[in-house]
Coordinates of all heavy atoms in Angstrom, one line a residue:
A191 N 8.5 -12.5 0.1 CA 7.7 -11.4 0.4 C 7.5 -10.6 -0.9 O 8.4 -10.4 -1.7 CB 8.4 -10.5 1.4
L192 N 6.2 -10.2 -1.2 CA 5.9 -9.5 -2.5 C 6.6 -8.1 -2.4 O 6.7 -7.5 -1.3 CB 4.4 -9.3 -2.6 CG 3.6 -10.5 -2.8 CD1 2.2 -10.1 -3.1 CD2 4.1 -11.4 -4.0
S193 N 7.2 -7.7 -3.5 CA 7.9 -6.4 -3.6 C 7.8 -6.0 -5.1 O 7.9 -6.8 -6.0 CB 9.3 -6.5 -3.2 OG 10.1 -5.4 -3.6
S194 N 7.7 -4.7 -5.3 CA 7.7 -4.2 -6.7 C 9.0 -4.5 -7.3 O 9.1 -4.7 -8.5 CB 7.5 -2.7 -6.7 OG 6.3 -2.3 -6.0
R195 N 10.1 -4.7 -6.5 CA 11.4 -4.9 -7.0 C 11.6 -6.4 -7.4 O 12.6 -6.7 -8.1 CB 12.5 -4.5 -6.0 CG 12.6 -3.0 -5.9 CD 13.8 -2.6 -5.1 NE 14.1 -1.2 -5.2 CZ 13.7 -0.3 -4.3 NH1 13.0 -0.6 -3.2 NH2 14.0 1.0 -4.5
N196 N 10.7 -7.3 -7.0 CA 10.8 -8.7 -7.4 C 10.8 -8.9 -8.9 O 11.4 -9.8 -9.4 CB 9.7 -9.6 -6.8 CG 9.8 -9.7 -5.3 OD1 10.8 -9.3 -4.7 ND2 8.9 -10.3 -4.6
R197 N 10.2 -7.9 -9.6 CA 10.2 -8.1 -11.1 C 11.5 -7.9 -11.7 O 11.7 -8.2 -12.9 CB 9.1 -7.2 -11.7 CG 9.2 -5.7 -11.5 CD 8.0 -5.0 -12.1 NE 6.9 -5.0 -11.1 CZ 5.6 -4.8 -11.4 NH1 5.3 -4.6 -12.7 NH2 4.7 -4.8 -10.5
Y198 N 12.5 -7.4 -11.0 CA 13.9 -7.3 -11.5 C 14.6 -8.6 -11.5 O 15.6 -8.8 -12.2 CB 14.8 -6.4 -10.6 CG 14.4 -4.9 -10.5 CD1 14.7 -4.3 -9.3 CD2 13.7 -4.2 -11.4 CE1 14.4 -2.9 -9.1 CE2 13.4 -2.9 -11.3 CZ 13.8 -2.2 -10.1 OH 13.5 -0.9 -9.9
L199 N 14.1 -9.6 -10.7 CA 14.8 -10.8 -10.5 C 14.7 -11.8 -11.7 O 13.7 -12.0 -12.2 CB 14.3 -11.6 -9.2 CG 14.3 -10.8 -7.9 CD1 13.5 -11.6 -6.8 CD2 15.8 -10.6 -7.5
T200 N 15.9 -12.4 -12.0 CA 15.9 -13.5 -13.0 C 15.3 -14.7 -12.3 O 15.3 -14.7 -11.0 CB 17.3 -13.8 -13.5 OG1 18.0 -14.3 -12.4 CG2 18.0 -12.5 -14.1
P201 N 14.9 -15.7 -13.0 CA 14.4 -16.9 -12.4 C 15.4 -17.5 -11.4 O 15.0 -17.9 -10.3 CB 14.1 -17.9 -13.5 CG 13.8 -17.0 -14.7 CD 14.7 -15.8 -14.5
T202 N 16.7 -17.5 -11.7 CA 17.7 -18.0 -10.8 C 17.8 -17.2 -9.6 O 17.8 -17.7 -8.4 CB 19.1 -18.1 -11.5 OG1 18.9 -18.7 -12.8 CG2 20.1 -18.7 -10.7
E203 N 17.8 -15.9 -9.7 CA 17.9 -15.0 -8.6 C 16.7 -15.1 -7.7 O 16.8 -15.1 -6.4 CB 18.0 -13.5 -9.0 CG 19.3 -13.2 -9.7 CD 19.4 -11.8 -10.4 OE1 18.3 -11.2 -10.6 OE2 20.4 -11.4 -10.8
R204 N 15.5 -15.3 -8.3 CA 14.3 -15.5 -7.5 C 14.4 -16.7 -6.6 O 14.0 -16.7 -5.4 CB 13.1 -15.5 -8.4 CG 11.8 -15.2 -7.7 CD 10.6 -15.3 -8.5 NE 9.5 -14.9 -7.7 CZ 9.0 -15.5 -6.7 NH1 9.7 -16.6 -6.3 NH2 8.0 -15.1 -6.0
E205 N 14.9 -17.8 -7.2 CA 15.1 -19.0 -6.5 C 16.1 -18.8 -5.3 O 15.9 -19.2 -4.2 CB 15.7 -20.1 -7.5 CG 15.6 -21.5 -7.1 CD 14.2 -21.9 -6.8 OE1 13.2 -21.6 -7.5 OE2 14.0 -22.6 -5.7
Q206 N 17.2 -18.1 -5.6 CA 18.2 -17.8 -4.6 C 17.6 -16.9 -3.5 O 18.0 -17.1 -2.3 CB 19.4 -17.1 -5.2 CG 20.1 -18.1 -6.2 CD 21.2 -17.4 -7.1 OE1 21.1 -16.2 -7.3 NE2 22.1 -18.2 -7.5
A207 N 16.7 -16.0 -3.8 CA 16.1 -15.1 -2.9 C 15.3 -15.8 -1.8 O 15.1 -15.3 -0.7 CB 15.3 -14.1 -3.6
L208 N 14.8 -17.0 -2.2 CA 14.0 -17.8 -1.2 C 14.7 -18.2 0.1 O 14.1 -18.5 1.1 CB 13.5 -19.1 -1.9 CG 12.4 -18.8 -3.0 CD1 12.0 -20.2 -3.6 CD2 11.2 -18.1 -2.4
A209 N 16.1 -18.1 0.0 CA 16.9 -18.3 1.3 C 16.5 -17.3 2.4 O 16.6 -17.6 3.5 CB 18.4 -18.2 1.0
I210 N 16.0 -16.1 2.0 CA 15.6 -15.1 3.0 C 14.4 -15.6 3.8 O 14.5 -15.7 5.0 CB 15.3 -13.7 2.3 CG1 16.6 -13.3 1.6 CG2 14.8 -12.7 3.3 CD1 16.4 -12.0 0.8
P211 N 13.2 -15.9 3.2 CA 12.1 -16.4 4.0 C 12.4 -17.7 4.7 O 12.0 -18.0 5.8 CB 10.9 -16.5 3.0 CG 11.5 -16.5 1.7 CD 12.8 -15.7 1.8
R212 N 13.3 -18.6 4.0 CA 13.6 -19.9 4.6 C 14.4 -19.6 5.9 O 14.2 -20.3 6.9 CB 14.5 -20.7 3.6 CG 13.7 -21.8 2.9 CD 14.6 -22.9 2.4 NE 15.8 -22.4 1.7 CZ 15.9 -22.2 0.4 NH1 14.8 -22.4 -0.4 NH2 17.0 -21.7 -0.1
T213 N 15.3 -18.7 5.9 CA 16.1 -18.4 7.1 C 15.2 -17.8 8.2 O 15.4 -18.2 9.3 CB 17.2 -17.4 6.7 OG1 18.0 -18.0 5.7 CG2 18.1 -17.0 7.9
L214 N 14.3 -16.9 7.8 CA 13.4 -16.4 8.9 C 12.6 -17.5 9.5 O 12.3 -17.5 10.7 CB 12.5 -15.3 8.2 CG 13.1 -14.0 7.9 CD1 12.2 -13.1 7.2 CD2 13.7 -13.3 9.2
H215 N 12.2 -18.5 8.7 CA 11.4 -19.6 9.2 C 12.3 -20.4 10.2 O 11.8 -20.8 11.2 CB 11.0 -20.5 8.0 CG 10.1 -21.6 8.4 ND1 8.8 -21.5 8.9 CD2 10.3 -23.0 8.4 CE1 8.3 -22.7 9.2 NE2 9.2 -23.6 8.9
C216 N 13.5 -20.7 9.8 CA 14.4 -21.4 10.7 C 14.6 -20.7 12.0 O 14.6 -21.3 13.1 CB 15.8 -21.5 10.1 SG 16.1 -22.8 9.0
I217 N 14.8 -19.4 11.9 CA 15.0 -18.6 13.2 C 13.7 -18.6 14.0 O 13.8 -18.8 15.3 CB 15.3 -17.1 12.8 CG1 16.7 -17.1 12.1 CG2 15.3 -16.2 14.0 CD1 17.9 -17.5 13.0
S218 N 12.6 -18.6 13.4 CA 11.3 -18.6 14.1 C 11.2 -20.0 14.8 O 10.7 -20.0 15.9 CB 10.2 -18.4 13.0 OG 9.0 -19.0 13.5
Q219 N 11.6 -21.1 14.1 CA 11.6 -22.4 14.8 C 12.5 -22.4 16.0 O 12.2 -23.0 17.0 CB 11.9 -23.5 13.8 CG 10.7 -23.7 12.8 CD 11.0 -24.8 11.9 OE1 12.1 -25.0 11.4 NE2 10.0 -25.6 11.6

Side-chain angles (χ1 to χ4, degrees):
L192 295 183
S193 163
S194 303
R195 289 189 168 97
N196 289 354
R197 62 186 82 200
Y198 298 151
L199 299 170
T200 64
T202 308
E203 288 167 351
R204 202 182 180 296
E205 198 57 41
Q206 292 168 337
L208 292 178
I210 299 172
R212 257 201 317 267
T213 300
L214 287 174
H215 183 68
C216 272
I217 294 296
S218 152
Q219 287 186 320

